Amino acid sequence: MSRFNKGQLDAIHHVNGPMLALAGPGSGKTTSMVHRIMYLIDEAKVRPENILVITFTRASASEMQERFYSLYKRKLKRRPTFGTFHSVFFYILKVAYGYDSGNIFSEENKYALVKELIVKKQLEYDDEEEVISDIIGEISLVKGDMIDVDNFYSQTVGEEIFREIYREYNETVSRNSKLDFDDMMVYCYDLLTKRPDILASLQNRYKYILVDEFQDINKLQYEITKLLAKPDNNLFVVGDDDQSIYGFRGARPEIMLKFKEDYPDVKMTLLDVNYRCNSNIVEGSARLIKNNSSRYEKALVSFLGYEEPIYIHHMKNRSEENGHILDMIRKYHEQGIPYNAISVIYRTNAQAGSLAHRLLEFNVPFYTRDKVTCIYDHFAVRTIFDYINAALGNRDRALFLRIINKPNRYISRDLLDEKEISLDRIKDKLGRKDWIADRLTQLSYDLELLTKLKPYAAVNFIRKSIGYDEYLSEYATYRHLNVDEFYDVLDEVAEASRQYKTYEDWFASIAVYREELLAHSRANVKEEKRGVAITTMHSAKGLEYDVVFIPEANEGLSPYKKAVLSTDIEEERRMFYVAMTRARHHLHIYEVKNYYNRELEPSRFLAEVSEE
């Protein structure tokens, strides 16, 4: 025990009653929890089967369990329970109702059902995947926050349509004797509140409950945990309110902040020694996060001491930024730092495309922790390619249906009734409808002109002269979206096309890029984590690297443009804090003056990180 600091010892030696352990980044919370379990068994004489350890991911549960058994050498007849919230709740339902794995409504099934429902509602959208994902997220939010759906306003499809989808979704799942992962919580809470005998049995079994990453808990998970912990309330929770970054999933950091109100006799301890980051990073991140008002005050120190300072770089544009990051990666690699000890952390996955392209170009190995997305598959970009392919002679009906009213030419789909489209034949059918004929003549002229342009000029012609930018603006207004997101994607595609003189050369380079990204995607599936890690701030949580780069610390990007309320800004600041504290020794932060022909202000976070 001599190697543990005071905060860790307090956590390890606590036995009865509630305790809140505030665990700063890199403070050894997993080690403390594992030794606490050992202490409960060996010193407090708690029976192993009376201990329940809950985490948020299967990987965390597996790691906790492996760490425990690698340290605990004595044989146990009965063992502590390690699991995720979902696995624990499903076990309870399995015992009570006889559910098995065949009753689980998978995420794939959920996606397919929601897709079927939005088609049934005949909703207008361009990005199907985005709409489905947003609706699935809102369904989870309603269940996890215990919200009456009649009081929930959907930001995706409006309140009435969402309520119809929500009810039809639940009816379909129930009719097939299934339950999804959110239902596991709902059904479990319902069971425990209606069956005091079952609740008492579980309370008698799980006398000591440990919850990891407590800052990520949602309302329903917390209510169930409180029920299980009664009447002794031997509830040990560990987490960091400064690292609560999953608000979109229903995580409620205020639960952690109000824990003392629910448990007035709670004991608190602070794991205040950061064993990961050097002192410069610890102090810089502390200067940042202290600007949040809703948090526990903490004084953290670094075990490593002072090393390199935090570097803040001011770049003209993304191209200069990408070049500098590439040069620095190669420099650190030449100094002996392996590529897989380096990470580039973006606010959103969409920002990573141009750097990935640069790394591929210079054969620097990398992998992405998030879904490998190809910018050329974005729905807004596909329309650009549809126009170019139509200009190059593709007369497929499906293609023309995709472009005919982008921008809106008020041309009925019924006019495009043949497998091969001829604009001249359509004009012959129109008779006196000269205004439609005029628009088809203009479209023919535009397609003819596109055949003579280079790729960069073609993209801009489609956007400005044909009117695709205006169409996207109207679409974004209708869907309550920020059109700048679409413009940023098209700006990046235009910039990438600038170096090519012909469509053939451009399309060939895109095909190669797709293949290389696909190879990286296959490697991710096989968990071949080789090379520089490109990740988002959300996905970087819980990880650490020798070198970290945080690009584009600009207003509108980080903090993100959708963050309007003070609570949103505080979560954005927590995300930046998480990104900073992934770095052990070297931290580089960038801001760009020009982002695709738009002037951007440096992020407010840069001034907060910097010393006075």
Side-chain angles (χ1 to χ4, degrees):
M1 288 293 169
S2 60
R3 67 189 179 92
F4 294 108
N5 60 55
K6 183 184 182 304
Q8 290 175 315
L9 288 173
D10 288 343
I12 293 167
H13 293 160
H14 176 76
V15 179
N16 294 317
M19 171 173 263
L20 169 60
L22 295 171
S27 59
K29 69 179 177 66
T30 302
T31 299
S32 300
M33 289 185 75
V34 167
H35 279 83
R36 169 175 163 72
I37 300 166
M38 294 166 59
Y39 185 86
L40 287 174
I41 296 170
D42 288 344
E43 303 299 329
K45 305 306 178 185
V46 173
R47 295 168 66 178
E49 66 269 27
N50 291 149
I51 300 172
L52 171 63
V53 184
I54 308 178
T55 68
F56 277 84
T57 66
R58 280 184 293 178
S60 297
S62 297
E63 181 193 359
M64 192 86 69
Q65 187 167 329
E66 288 168 10
R67 292 272 290 274
F68 173 74
Y69 287 112
S70 69
L71 290 169
Y72 196 82
K73 302 302 182 185
R74 291 172 54 191
K75 286 189 176 181
L76 294 172
K77 290 183 180 179
R78 295 175 182 261
R79 298 185 165 196
T81 298
F82 294 85
T84 63
F85 276 106
H86 289 127
S87 68
V88 171
F89 296 163
F90 187 65
Y91 168 77
I92 294 171
L93 297 174
K94 182 179 177 181
V95 172
Y97 298 130
Y99 282 123
D100 59 33
S101 58
N103 294 110
I104 297 176
F105 198 67
S106 70
E107 294 300 296
E108 291 77 15
N109 289 334
K110 178 188 284 190
Y111 186 94
L113 177 55
V114 171
K115 179 178 180 179
E116 180 184 320
L117 291 173
I118 65 173
V119 169
K120 178 182 174 182
K121 300 298 177 188
Q122 298 183 324
L123 300 178
E124 289 189 22
Y125 56 83
D126 273 346
D127 192 343
E128 177 182 80
E129 188 170 329
E130 178 190 48
V131 173
I132 295 171
S133 177
D134 288 349
I135 291 175
I136 287 173
E138 290 184 334
I139 290 173
S140 294
L141 201 60
V142 168
K143 294 182 180 182
D145 265 1
M146 305 173 75
I147 301 170
D148 184 336
V149 69
D150 289 328
N151 297 326
F152 181 77
Y153 179 75
S154 168
Q155 295 184 349
T156 305
V157 290
E159 51 191 294
E160 291 302 326
I161 294 293
F162 175 78
R163 288 168 193 166
E164 291 174 13
I165 291 173
Y166 180 84
R167 292 188 174 108
E168 289 178 37
Y169 169 85
N170 286 326
E171 287 167 6
T172 303
V173 174
S174 178
R175 189 166 57 247
N176 288 283
S177 301
K178 302 280 188 179
L179 72 166
D180 65 21
F181 287 105
D182 300 309
D183 292 331
M184 291 179 193
M185 295 186 292
V186 175
Y187 289 13
C188 192
Y189 180 74
D190 185 65
L191 172 70
L192 297 182
T193 52
K194 292 179 179 177
R195 290 289 302 273
D197 56 328
I198 293 176
L199 175 59
S201 173
L202 290 165
Q203 290 169 338
N204 189 53
R205 176 175 178 180
Y206 299 127
K207 291 181 178 294
Y208 290 83
I209 301 176
L210 294 80
V211 182
D212 190 19
E213 302 287 2
F214 188 64
Q215 75 278 351
D216 294 332
I217 201 165
N218 68 30
K219 184 176 180 180
L220 192 49
Q221 290 165 341
Y222 184 46
E223 292 301 322
I224 297 171
T225 303
K226 285 195 295 183
L227 286 173
L228 292 175
K230 290 179 178 179
D232 296 328
N233 292 328
N234 295 326
L235 179 58
F236 177 89
V237 300
V238 58
D240 183 5
D241 53 308
D242 290 334
Q243 295 187 70
S244 180
I245 61 173
Y246 297 119
F248 67 97
R249 293 183 192 165
R252 296 291 174 255
E254 59 268 23
I255 291 174
M256 188 171 189
L257 293 169
K258 295 179 179 178
F259 192 70
K260 289 192 293 185
E261 296 178 13
D262 291 330
Y263 298 95
D265 60 336
V266 66
K267 292 182 179 177
M268 294 184 62
T269 186
L270 173 63
L271 278 58
D272 59 351
V273 180
N274 185 321
Y275 295 94
R276 175 193 302 152
C277 312
N278 75 45
S279 292
N280 304 85
I281 296 169
V282 169
E283 292 175 7
S285 60
R287 286 192 292 271
L288 168 80
I289 203 64
K290 74 177 184 181
N291 290 278
N292 274 5
S293 57
S294 300
R295 62 184 293 268
Y296 287 109
E297 287 292 330
K298 308 174 192 71
L300 306 178
V301 295
S302 169
F303 183 77
L304 300 181
Y306 291 95
E307 296 178 347
E308 279 198 357
I310 298 171
Y311 294 102
I312 296 178
H313 306 277
H314 305 277
M315 296 286 154
K316 293 178 184 176
N317 50 42
R318 295 191 84 196
S319 178
E320 185 178 66
E321 175 189 64
N322 288 335
H324 193 274
I325 292 174
L326 173 65
D327 290 343
M328 294 302 298
I329 289 172
R330 296 164 85 180
K331 173 186 170 186
Y332 281 121
H333 185 64
E334 288 168 3
Q335 293 174 0
I337 296 177
Y339 284 126
N340 61 7
I342 302 172
S343 180
V344 186
I345 304 178
Y346 287 94
R347 170 60 182 86
T348 68
N349 198 31
Q351 294 169 259
S354 60
L355 178 65
H357 209 292
R358 186 74 69 95
L359 295 177
L360 287 169
E361 188 179 349
F362 286 87
N363 295 314
V364 174
F366 72 92
Y367 68 94
T368 59
R369 289 193 51 81
D370 302 271
K371 178 184 176 183
V372 180
T373 56
C374 179
I375 194 170
Y376 300 111
D377 291 332
H378 192 285
F379 83 92
V381 181
R382 289 199 297 267
T383 302
I384 298 291
F385 293 148
D386 284 340
Y387 266 107
I388 293 173
N389 285 322
L392 295 177
N394 188 326
R395 289 293 176 265
D396 181 68
R397 177 175 182 267
L399 182 149
F400 270 85
L401 284 173
R402 291 195 296 269
I403 67 172
I404 196 67
N405 284 313
K406 296 179 186 175
N408 202 339
R409 298 180 176 90
Y410 301 95
I411 296 174
S412 170
R413 296 167 66 93
D414 295 338
L415 288 175
L416 282 68
D417 57 358
E418 297 181 1
K419 190 174 181 180
E420 296 283 320
I421 297 301
S422 166
L423 297 179
D424 288 335
R425 279 204 303 273
I426 294 173
K427 283 190 285 186
D428 291 340
K429 295 178 189 177
L430 292 174
R432 297 180 180 179
K433 295 181 180 178
D434 294 338
W435 62 275
I436 296 179
D438 289 344
R439 291 179 183 186
L440 291 173
T441 300
Q442 182 63 48
L443 177 58
S444 297
Y445 172 78
D446 290 338
L447 294 177
E448 175 64 27
L449 187 56
L450 279 172
T451 63
K452 303 171 185 176
L453 299 177
K454 294 179 181 179
Y456 179 74
V459 174
N460 287 302
F461 179 77
I462 294 166
R463 294 180 64 183
K464 307 299 182 185
S465 298
I466 291 180
Y468 186 50
D469 271 9
E470 185 177 347
Y471 165 81
L472 286 174
S473 177
E474 293 171 356
Y475 169 77
T477 300
Y478 174 74
R479 283 285 317 280
H480 306 291
L481 300 172
N482 190 329
V483 72
D484 287 340
E485 293 181 33
F486 302 143
Y487 291 165
D488 287 347
V489 169
L490 294 179
D491 285 342
E492 184 169 334
V493 168
E495 193 62 32
S497 73
R498 193 191 286 268
Q499 60 184 300
Y500 301 100
K501 295 183 179 179
T502 67
Y503 295 129
E504 184 180 9
D505 289 345
W506 188 32
F507 290 167
S509 76
I510 291 172
V512 171
Y513 180 58
R514 285 183 192 279
E515 279 302 309
E516 289 175 326
L517 276 185
L518 186 60
H520 281 82
S521 182
R522 292 193 189 106
N524 282 350
V525 170
K526 296 177 183 176
E527 296 192 348
E528 297 172 1
K529 308 299 187 186
R530 300 190 187 120
V532 176
I534 296 181
T535 181
T536 62
M537 293 176 180
H538 283 116
S539 295
K541 189 168 173 290
L543 304 174
E544 55 185 61
Y545 304 91
D546 286 347
V547 184
V548 165
F549 300 93
I550 304 176
E552 288 139 35
N554 290 89
E555 291 292 313
L557 297 171
S558 185
Y560 197 51
K561 52 196 158 196
K562 288 184 179 179
V564 178
L565 303 175
S566 59
T567 52
D568 299 331
I569 295 296
E570 293 213 350
E571 179 150 325
E572 291 288 320
R573 189 176 283 109
R574 290 195 294 268
M575 275 190 268
F576 206 86
Y577 177 78
V578 165
M580 290 179 66
T581 53
R582 300 312 92 195
R584 295 189 189 104
H585 307 293
H586 312 280
L587 175 59
H588 296 262
I589 306 175
Y590 294 78
E591 66 96 4
V592 294
K593 302 294 182 191
N594 188 290
Y595 190 83
Y596 297 129
N597 302 315
R598 285 190 291 125
E599 295 293 321
L600 293 184
E601 292 294 320
S603 170
R604 70 194 72 182
F605 300 154
L606 295 183
E608 295 170 1
V609 168
S610 302
E611 295 187 64
E612 293 298 330

